[in-house]
Amino acid sequence: MASKKIKAKSGTAGLRQTDIGVFFGLKALKEQEVKGNDTPRKEDIWTGVVSPSVRAGSRRQKKRKATSSLSDSNMLVAADGRNDKKESQMPVENGGWPRRKRWNRRQGEDESENTKQCPFYKKIPGTGFAVDAFQYGPIEGITGYFLTHFHSDHYSGLKKSFRLPIFCNKITGNLVKSKLRVEEQYVNILPMNAECTVEGVSVTLLDANHCPGAAMLLFQLPNGRTVLHTGDFRADPSMERYPELLGSKVQTLYLDTTYCSPEYTFPTQQEVISFAANTAFEHMTLNPQTLVVCGTYSIGKEKVFLAIAEVLGCKVCMSRDKYNTMCCLESDSIRERLTMDWNTTQVHVLPMMQINFKGLQTHLNKFSGKYNQILAFKPTGWTFSSQNTCVESIQPVVRGNISIYGIPYSEHSSYLEMKRFVQWLKPEKILPTVNVGSWRSRKEMEKLFDKWMTEVRLEGMKCQPK
C-alpha cells in the first residue's frame, strides 16, 4: 500500500475574532503567516509524510471531577489531578453563584479498562477515521486518528509508543511531540482553513474557539455527504461567517454538548475577560502592592491572564512547564509577555487546583515583603446562575487579605450559544458527544434538538410567501 499522503489546497484563511491575542490587540499568528496571501505556506501545509513503513494492518500498539476543600467547610474548589480537565463546580459563598445539577461526562464508553470499545460517535462513517479515540487500543477499520485539541480527556491513551497516523493542527502537534514525546513521523500537521485530502477524504480544520490549537473538523465524504465534528468548542457568531461552513450543507453534526441544558447560561467570553481585566486594574490602582493571580489548566484560559497583563502593562509569570507549553503556540507577541521570574511582575499564573485560600496564602507568603494582598481569578464555566447572568453581579469570596473571584469564563458553548449555532447550521442529524452516559440524558438532548429544529422549520414557513 502506498504511504498515506496529504494534499492541501488553499482556503480562506481570514482572521478569526476568537483568535488568542486578537481580542486584546496582539497581532494574530495567522496574519503573520498569510501576509495577504490566501495560500498557506508549504511548510505549514505539510511538515511530514507518514512513514512508508506504517500501513493499514501493520504494527499497532496497544474527566472527572475530584474536589478538595479550601481548608474550610464552606467552599469547594476543583482539585484537578489533570490540569486540563473540564470546568468543575465551584459553589461560592457571599453572593456567589450556586451549585447546579450536572450530567455525567463521557460515561457511554465501557467502564472496563480491559474491554473498552470505541463508541460510535468517535468514528466517522464512510472513512477510516476516528476522532479523539486513543484510549481504545487498535480500532478495527481505523487507519487515521484525528486529535481535535490537547486536553487529556481527548488524547488519553496517546503515548510515546503510538505508531499510527495522527492528524491535527500545528499547535496541537507541537504539544503532542513536546509533552507526550510521540515520534514526529506519526504526527501529521494539517493547516487551518485549508481543504486537505487525507486518504481520499476532503478535510478542513476550523477554529473551535476552545483552548489554543482546538479545531473543528469538516469532512467532505466521497459519497457527497458533509460531516462537521466540533470537538470541544464554544460557539460564536463569527463562526456563521466561516466561508467553509457558508459553502457547505452539513448533514451530520457531532456536537459538544457539555452545557446542553437551558439552565446553563453565562456571559460572553469578551464580557468576562473585560470584567477580570478592569477589576485587576481597579485593585492595582487602589493598592499597588496587590498580587494578581489567575488559575489555568495545562492548556486553556490563556485569554484571561494575557488580557490582564495587557491592561496592566506587565508580563505574566508562570512555571517552566506552563512556559514551555505557551511556547508551543509559536507566537512571538505572546512569548514577549511571558516570564519565569516571579519577582519581576505582579501577575502570576498558578494551576487551577491552587486557587484556594490555603494555596494562595502559601504563595503570598513567598513574597510577603513585596505584596500585602492577593486578587485571584478562577475562570470556570460552572460559576453561573440562571438569575445572575451579568458580570456586574459577580462578587468575590474574601478571607483576610485574599480575594477570590469565581468568574464565569468557559471554553464550551452556553446553552443559548449552542442552540443558535445549531439552528444556523441546520444539520439533518445531530450526534451529542458529551453527557451520553445515560438513556435519560440522551433522550433529554434529543428532545431539545427536535425542539430547535422545529422552531427553524416554523420560522421558515412564516417567511414563505403566501
Side-chain angles (χ1 to χ4, degrees), residues 380-391:
T380 167
W382 291 103
T383 306
F384 77 97
S385 168
S386 58
Q387 288 77 37
N388 300 300
T389 58
C390 60
V391 294

Side-chain angles (χ1 to χ4, degrees), residues 266-318:
F266 32 81
T268 66
Q269 286 184 338
Q270 287 79 4
E271 289 175 312
V272 178
I273 290 171
S274 296
F275 170 81
N278 291 336
T279 300
F281 182 82
E282 290 170 3
H283 277 71
M284 291 283 286
T285 301
L286 295 173
N287 181 5
Q289 289 185 287
T290 299
L291 175 60
V292 180
V293 177
C294 188
T296 185
Y297 299 130
S298 63
I299 187 75
K301 315 298 185 184
E302 288 77 13
K303 291 180 186 177
V304 178
F305 63 75
L306 288 173
I308 292 173
E310 176 75 8
V311 168
L312 298 181
C314 64
K315 293 191 174 186
V316 183
C317 186
M318 57 194 62

Side-chain angles (χ1 to χ4, degrees), residues 54-66:
V54 182
R55 299 178 174 87
S58 66
R59 294 178 293 156
R60 301 194 178 200
Q61 298 207 9
K62 305 192 174 170
K63 272 179 198 158
R64 105 299 76 178
K65 291 218 182 341

Side-chain angles (χ1 to χ4, degrees), residues 202-249:
S202 172
V203 185
T204 306
L205 273 59
L206 305 172
D207 182 8
N209 192 29
H210 185 58
C211 68
M216 299 188 290
L217 308 173
L218 183 66
F219 298 97
Q220 304 281 352
L221 306 186
N223 62 8
R225 296 185 65 82
T226 300
V227 174
L228 177 65
H229 196 300
T230 66
D232 281 354
F233 87 132
R234 180 153 186 181
D236 186 90
S238 64
M239 294 177 178
E240 297 170 16
R241 299 190 294 274
Y242 284 9
E244 300 84 358
L245 296 180
L246 286 170
S248 301
K249 168 58 181 173

Side-chain angles (χ1 to χ4, degrees), residues 416-440:
L416 292 177
E417 290 168 339
M418 189 187 312
K419 176 182 177 181
R420 171 175 170 154
F421 179 79
V422 170
Q423 290 186 325
W424 172 79
L425 194 66
K426 301 180 184 67
E428 296 176 3
K429 183 178 182 180
I430 305 172
L431 297 176
T433 61
V434 183
N435 302 319
V436 294
S438 72
W439 178 87
R440 178 185 175 187

Side-chain angles (χ1 to χ4, degrees), residues 337-385:
R337 282 281 173 197
L338 312 180
T339 180
M340 292 182 285
D341 187 345
W342 298 97
N343 292 302
T344 60
T345 180
Q346 288 180 261
V347 179
H348 292 183
V349 170
L350 295 177
M352 201 72 76
M353 64 185 294
Q354 289 183 232
I355 308 302
N356 55 67
F357 290 118
K358 182 178 179 180
L360 292 172
Q361 187 63 62
T362 299
H363 190 70
L364 180 61
N365 291 342
K366 298 176 183 177
F367 309 94
S368 57
K370 198 168 187 178
Y371 308 114
N372 58 23
Q373 72 174 16
I374 277 185
L375 170 66
F377 295 97
K378 186 179 179 73
T380 167
W382 291 103
T383 306
F384 77 97
S385 168

Side-chain angles (χ1 to χ4, degrees), residues 21-22 85 232 291 315 319 341 393 413 419 441 454:
V22 172
K85 303 292 178 63
D232 281 354
L291 175 60
K315 293 191 174 186
S319 67
D341 187 345
S393 64
S413 309
K419 176 182 177 181
S441 65
T454 297

